[in-house]
Amino acid sequence: MPTLWFILVGFMLTMYVLLDGFDLGAGAIAPFAARTNRDHRILLQAIGPVWDGNEVWLIAAGGTLFFTFPKLYATSFSGFYLPLMIVLWLLMLRGLSIELRGHFPSPLWGQFWDGLFFLGSALLAIFLGAAVGNVVRGVSLDQQGRFFAPLWTDFDPRSPTPGILDWYTILIGLLALSTLVLHGANFIAVKTTADLQQRTQRIARLALVSTVLLAAISTVATFWLRPVLLDRFASQPLGAIFPLLAIAGLATVGYARWADRDLLALLASGGYILGIMSSTAFVLYPVVLPAVNPANSLTITNTAAPTYGLTVGLIWWGIGMVLASIYLLVIYRLFRGKVQLDESGY
Amino acid sequence: MNDAATVSRLQFAFTVGYHYLFPQFTMGLAFLIFLLKTLYLRTKNEQYNQATRFATKIFAISFIVGVVTGIPLEFQFGTNWAEFSSFAGNIIAQLLAMEGAFAFFLESAFLGLLLFGERRFGQRVHWLASLLVFVGTWSSGFFIVAANSWLQHPVGFQPQPGGGIALTDYGAILFNPWVGPQYLHTMTGATITGAVTMAGLGAYYLLQGQHRDYGQIFLRLGVTVGLIATIIALFPSGDWEGQQVARLQPAKLAGMEGVFTTESGSGIVLIGQPDVELQRLDNPIVVPNLLSFLTFHRWNAQVIGLDQIPDDQQPDNIAFLYYAYHIMVGLGTIMLGVMLLAALLLWARRLYTSRWALWLLLLIVPFPFIANTAGWFTSELGRQPWLIYGLLRTTDGDSTVVSSGNVLFTLLGFMGIYALLWCLFLLLMLREITHGPEAATAAGTHGVTTDPPDDFLDLDDTALAKP
Ligand code: HDD
Ligand code: HEM
Ligand code: HEM
């Protein structure tokens, strides 16, 4: 049962990265892709009807993690206190920047929110990546399974008391930024036309190059820091399909960008994200938060909720996800196609 | 003030109190928007449709503030209340996760349709969107109230061998007896907020002599719904809540009513200041025997006073608890009075011209917000010293690894951001209200419409054209 929930929570987090990923990416490319007010509004209208729903995947994943692995939720959220609060503030400011921009007819107002939208989106991408980096690298859990991570210590991931930011987690943060820029640019290219579309296609090509480079460096760095993670592939060679999916995804993005097939590129960058998320989950399993001293690591067994709750949860969770997927399909279908600038929206 | 638990409590109280200013309004308004849209489909009177669009615009602004202030709450259980979260997370988080799965997805998906879908997808789809947004916000309220009810009255669990407790009965937490009264009362409170605000807006337009037709629509709907809701707040829902508290949480009842000494035939305090040091009430005005009657339906029933409750089980801020409760009931009574009066004038067809009554309706707009906040302070302060009533003390529930300095840092950060948020909210609200209902167009009822629709920023872009 805990294994099943490990996969389901992983699924929700992946949905979050796939969906909110492209609107975060859209924010991170906004100042480079959008030249005029009109461009900015088209960008916002492309993500406008869906971004909040995308973010709900994060909230729902948080809630699901909370009831399925309460100890993990409690330990990691209190241990990562400061960075989480910063993430919350960024989420708030970024949400406001999307929704409030269109409400006041002043150039300064618009520029202020555009700036905040860019900063919030880019920093969130970096922080979310750094969060994954922290989980892979491990934290200084004590015997009671508690820790408190400072924002930084000596920037060395091998230190006995690593901080949130060190060269490794920053590297993963940059990889995340680059990945989401790629994904976001692919999405915006699908939703736009003319020169805005061409600019985003150019950005996507650049992001593809940097993503390939950063992904290669990160993979080497990860296995250099934590060689044990490689053992998972030795014991379960089938797991190799996850990284292969990521590689195939990236290769397909390369083909699609070269052939200017925007929708294929978007699907492929989605496949690549699915690949790296599932690879990460695969190498970590059954550990969910590694400790510097491996004996103190949190695993799915020592953090999972009792079986009864997990079983009932499965029932309503299933219903809830079916409903959520239906809304998702309905909304994306209703708002499909290129954005037609609606004079009165955003 | 220096221990982390206290600062975390302040932070939770501040952030949840602030958050709730918005959902109470959006839940109330979602209901009224649904009514307006239904009225339009029934009567085909275009003004109802226009009023719907306008209300949706106002809704959108407060919804976004509700969303962004809600997210930190969900995470604060883990960040600031880690011991509580690992103690009871497998129970309380079922409800929180269900709120995400059943309510938030629904709201967020169909709000977009409500805002941008009317022209593209037609009136029926738009009506359906208004219904789904209404259902979404109200089910959000249900799950969160069920979560709070469980803290007030924990059920359906069993102690676990390794510490903590485990869920044993799923139905029990969802249909906790505490939920019924609390949900009814909370939703009534939210409806009051929506209705009083709508009536106040109508009164404002009539007093200003602007948008008279819409002012009358808002008054009719606001006053009718407002009257019904203020009555329900008092009876049966408020009465129900009071009885439940009396039965299950005597310490809270004693604190909120200011009963220091146990007596039979206890009177109800209308006015008076609790003096906790001397354990008595100063300057009291009391209606004899009424409290016993209201809570136990017997004039001579015994009401337990604080003297019978051990010190370590008494709420730690009796005076505040007492005032919070009295503010809620006092404002509730005033609102009921004003709504009754306005309804009589409406019935006699004199409301639209009675400037003094319109002034009253305008001036009470802040009252429901204060009453709702005060009501929550009553429940939550009265629950102290327990985080989970009778099971886990608040001081045992906070995160041991987070220092008070760190919490203070984030509390100050929230205060800063929320102050900014408040200014923005007021600015945008006043702007929408000044523009008035006629300005809302059918397309997206969301953006700048009365201003030149052309790209206002492009002018400036060319002026600043990059070389
Ligand atoms: C406009 C809002 C409003 C109004 C007019 C009233 N209330 Fe209220 N009250 C609330 C809004 C509210 C609330 C914010 O919604 C609370 C907080 C928790 C809850 O269940 O509802 C609440 C709580 C609350 C509680 C505490 C319940 C608990 O501890 O769980 C009691 C006993 C009452 N109310 C009783 C009353 C009575 C007798 C009223 C008669 C005038 C009244 N309320 C008017
Ligand atoms: C929206 C309305 C609510 C308001 C205004 C409110 C208000 C408060 C206040 C004032 C406190 C501080 C109490 C004190 O320091 O003495 C508090 C604490 C708390 N509330 Fe609420 N509350 C609300 C809803 C909820 C809900 C729905 C939940 C549960 C899901 C909840 C859970 C808590 C917790 C965990 C604490 C911290 C521990 C404690 O002080 O007991 N609250 N709340
Ligand atoms: C009685 C108390 C509460 C009620 C009735 C309530 C209701 C609502 C409603 C209706 C919304 C939708 C946004 C809006 O209408 O403004 C909302 C947003 C939200 N609330 Fe609350 N809330 C309460 C307290 C809390 C608490 C204690 C939490 C934390 C667990 C919370 C978490 C959230 C979150 C995460 C959102 C954002 C959802 C989104 O992105 O769509 N709320 N709340």
Side-chain angles (χ1 to χ4, degrees):
Chain A
M1 191 57 89
T3 303
L4 181 58
W5 278 110
F6 175 81
I7 297 170
L8 295 180
V9 173
F11 160 76
M12 295 180 87
L13 285 172
T14 308
M15 284 299 283
Y16 171 68
V17 179
L18 282 175
L19 295 174
D20 213 31
F22 69 67
D23 65 62
L24 286 168
I29 65 169
F32 310 104
R35 291 270 158 82
T36 58
N37 178 47
R38 196 185 148 77
D39 289 349
H40 276 287
R41 293 184 57 197
I42 292 180
L43 277 190
L44 288 183
Q45 290 192 9
I47 61 172
V50 295
W51 76 269
D52 184 28
N54 296 345
E55 211 164 280
V56 170
W57 283 97
L58 178 67
I59 300 168
T64 308
L65 179 71
F66 188 5
F67 90 84
T68 50
F69 300 100
K71 285 227 168 55
L72 171 64
Y73 171 87
T75 308
S76 54
F77 278 39
S78 56
F80 292 129
Y81 188 81
L82 289 175
L84 260 176
M85 288 291 172
I86 293 171
V87 164
L88 290 175
W89 295 342
L90 289 173
L91 281 174
M92 296 173 73
L93 293 175
R94 176 176 174 276
L96 292 175
S97 70
I98 298 174
E99 291 294 325
L100 299 189
R101 183 185 191 278
H103 279 282
F104 208 80
S106 135
L108 287 186
W109 178 268
Q111 284 162 5
F112 175 73
W113 293 116
D114 289 342
L116 210 55
F117 180 45
F118 165 67
L119 269 184
S121 306
L123 287 176
L124 273 171
I126 294 177
F127 261 85
L128 293 174
V132 178
N134 271 277
V135 171
V136 173
R137 178 208 58 200
V139 293
S140 51
L141 285 162
D142 65 15
Q143 274 159 350
Q144 277 91 47
R146 299 202 176 99
F147 75 103
F148 187 80
L151 281 178
W152 58 77
T153 49
D154 52 4
F155 294 98
D156 182 355
R158 288 160 306 169
S159 130
T161 53
I164 303 291
L165 295 177
D166 58 37
W167 65 256
Y168 175 72
T169 58
I170 293 175
L171 176 66
I172 303 292
L174 291 178
L175 171 63
L177 177 63
S178 170
T179 301
L180 296 189
V181 164
L182 174 64
H183 194 47
N186 284 340
F187 176 77
I188 295 298
V190 171
K191 301 294 282 183
T192 55
T193 53
D195 56 332
L196 178 57
Q197 186 188 24
Q198 280 155 17
R199 277 195 301 271
T200 49
Q201 287 168 339
R202 213 170 311 134
I203 293 173
R205 280 193 283 273
L206 289 177
L208 176 63
V209 176
S210 67
T211 306
V212 171
L213 287 177
L214 285 167
I217 303 174
S218 311
T219 311
V220 175
T222 303
F223 292 121
W224 176 69
L225 272 177
R226 305 232 21 234
V228 283
L229 296 181
L230 270 175
D231 299 348
R232 285 281 292 149
F233 291 108
S235 59
Q236 263 174 320
L238 263 188
I241 54 171
F242 299 122
L244 286 179
L245 175 62
I247 294 169
L250 266 189
T252 315
V253 180
Y255 162 74
R257 286 275 57 110
W258 174 72
D260 264 344
R261 293 176 55 186
D262 292 321
L263 189 60
L264 180 66
L266 176 64
L267 295 176
S269 53
Y272 155 66
I273 290 176
L274 187 64
I276 44 176
M277 293 292 288
S278 51
S279 308
T280 313
F282 174 75
V283 293
L284 283 176
Y285 177 88
V287 174
V288 279
L289 189 63
V292 174
N293 171 2
N296 297 339
S297 291
L298 295 185
T299 65
I300 58 167
T301 27
N302 65 18
T303 56
T307 317
Y308 173 78
L310 293 183
T311 317
V312 210
L314 211 50
I315 299 167
W316 65 252
W317 188 88
I319 302 174
M321 284 307 110
V322 169
L323 289 176
S325 315
I326 294 175
Y327 311 147
L328 192 102
L329 289 178
V330 169
I331 292 303
Y332 278 82
R333 212 183 137 65
L334 285 178
F335 290 97
R336 69 183 178 277
K338 304 277 181 194
V339 176
Q340 310 277 321
L341 190 64
D342 178 343
E343 282 311 339
S344 59
Y346 291 101
Chain B
M1 180 63 213
N2 278 324
D3 65 311
T6 311
V7 194
S8 288
R9 278 171 70 180
L10 281 174
Q11 174 166 300
F12 202 92
F14 174 68
T15 49
V16 76
Y18 192 94
H19 171 65
Y20 196 58
L21 292 175
F22 300 92
Q24 58 171 298
F25 180 51
T26 45
M27 286 185 293
L29 198 58
F31 176 51
L32 294 167
I33 287 176
F34 171 67
L35 289 182
L36 280 171
K37 189 78 202 180
T38 311
L39 280 172
Y40 164 69
L41 286 182
R42 278 286 175 97
T43 62
K44 297 283 184 238
N45 175 351
E46 184 54 33
Q47 278 179 349
Y48 282 124
N49 216 8
Q50 193 64 20
T52 311
R53 290 175 197 134
F54 175 63
T56 314
K57 237 169 151 179
I58 302 231
F59 179 88
I61 300 175
S62 36
F63 187 85
I64 182 63
V65 184
V67 167
V68 299
T69 54
I71 297 169
L73 294 176
E74 197 91 24
F75 289 85
Q76 261 182 76
F77 292 108
T79 52
N80 294 65
W81 303 99
E83 297 305 309
F84 158 72
S85 295
S86 55
F87 181 83
N90 73 76
I91 302 180
I92 189 104
Q94 290 260 356
L95 297 160
L96 297 175
M98 279 166 71
E99 185 186 18
F102 293 113
F104 290 157
F105 278 120
L106 186 69
E107 288 169 40
S108 58
F110 291 99
L111 180 61
L113 201 55
L114 187 64
L115 288 173
F116 308 114
E118 181 180 358
R119 200 169 51 187
R120 245 190 272 178
F121 308 117
Q123 296 302 326
R124 300 208 156 265
V125 175
H126 199 234
W127 175 82
L128 188 69
S130 76
L131 173 65
L132 290 174
V133 168
F134 161 55
V135 172
T137 53
W138 281 49
S139 45
S140 181
F142 176 80
F143 291 114
I144 203 76
V145 164
N148 187 268
S149 290
W150 190 84
L151 300 180
Q152 305 284 353
H153 183 58
V155 290
F157 66 89
Q158 212 175 40
Q160 231 177 315
I165 53 179
L167 178 65
T168 54
D169 185 351
Y170 177 73
I173 61 167
L174 214 47
F175 304 105
N176 185 342
W178 198 280
V179 175
Q182 199 180 12
Y183 183 60
L184 182 65
H185 195 62
T186 313
M187 292 303 109
T188 311
T191 309
I192 295 179
T193 301
V196 167
T197 312
M198 185 169 271
L201 183 63
Y204 170 79
Y205 283 147
L206 288 193
L207 287 170
Q208 286 262 332
Q210 295 170 321
H211 315 295
R212 298 195 63 90
D213 297 344
Y214 295 101
Q216 296 187 1
I217 291 181
F218 292 147
L219 272 172
R220 275 200 304 276
L221 192 63
V223 169
T224 316
V225 175
L227 176 65
I228 299 171
T230 40
I231 293 174
I232 298 178
L234 184 71
F235 186 88
S237 75
D239 170 55
W240 234 5
E241 288 248 67
Q243 292 184 32
Q244 173 158 272
V245 170
R247 208 155 25 90
L248 298 168
Q249 296 186 347
K252 182 190 275 179
L253 184 80
M256 70 196 205
E257 299 280 6
V259 183
F260 285 102
T261 43
T262 306
E263 56 185 14
S264 323
S266 189
I268 206 158
V269 182
L270 298 184
I271 298 182
Q273 296 79 37
D275 181 337
V276 180
E277 283 74 29
L278 298 178
Q279 294 284 305
R280 63 159 204 230
L281 215 59
D282 295 339
N283 315 313
I285 298 181
V286 178
V287 184
N289 294 63
L290 193 58
L291 181 58
S292 291
F293 180 76
L294 286 180
T295 45
F296 297 103
H297 295 289
R298 275 182 295 122
W299 293 105
N300 275 318
Q302 190 189 51
V303 176
I304 295 176
L306 290 167
D307 55 350
Q308 294 223 343
I309 292 163
D311 273 352
D312 69 345
Q313 291 182 22
Q314 288 194 8
D316 53 7
N317 202 337
I318 306 259
F320 198 5
L321 170 59
Y322 166 92
Y323 287 124
Y325 179 67
H326 281 76
I327 287 170
M328 168 182 64
V329 175
L331 293 183
T333 315
I334 295 174
M335 286 187 282
L336 175 60
V338 174
M339 282 297 161
L340 199 60
L341 201 75
L344 284 175
L345 288 170
L346 190 64
W347 180 64
R349 298 181 189 286
R350 288 183 28 209
L351 180 60
Y352 305 143
T353 49
S354 312
R355 291 188 69 85
W356 59 273
L358 295 177
W359 263 109
L360 272 182
L361 284 172
L362 179 60
L363 288 176
I364 63 166
V365 167
F367 286 10
F369 293 92
I370 303 173
N372 272 310
T373 311
W376 275 103
F377 272 76
T378 311
S379 316
E380 303 291 76
L381 289 168
R383 191 185 72 217
Q384 304 302 321
W386 303 104
L387 206 175
I388 308 172
Y389 197 77
L391 275 184
L392 181 75
R393 284 177 181 272
T394 308
T395 43
D396 298 329
D398 66 320
S399 305
T400 46
V401 296
V402 181
S403 73
S404 65
N406 276 320
V407 186
L408 191 58
F409 171 73
T410 55
L411 173 58
L412 293 172
F414 277 114
M415 288 179 157
I417 294 180
Y418 285 8
L420 173 75
L421 210 53
W422 190 244
C423 299
L424 289 171
F425 179 74
L426 282 188
L427 176 75
L428 295 177
M429 273 303 174
L430 290 178
R431 209 182 116 77
E432 293 299 342
I433 291 171
T434 326
H435 279 248
E438 268 115 20
T441 60
T445 46
H446 200 244
V448 188
T449 46
T450 48
D451 306 287
D454 246 339
D455 289 339
F456 51 84
L457 277 173
D458 283 348
L459 292 171
D460 143 275
D461 280 346
T462 31
L464 296 171
K466 291 144 201 141

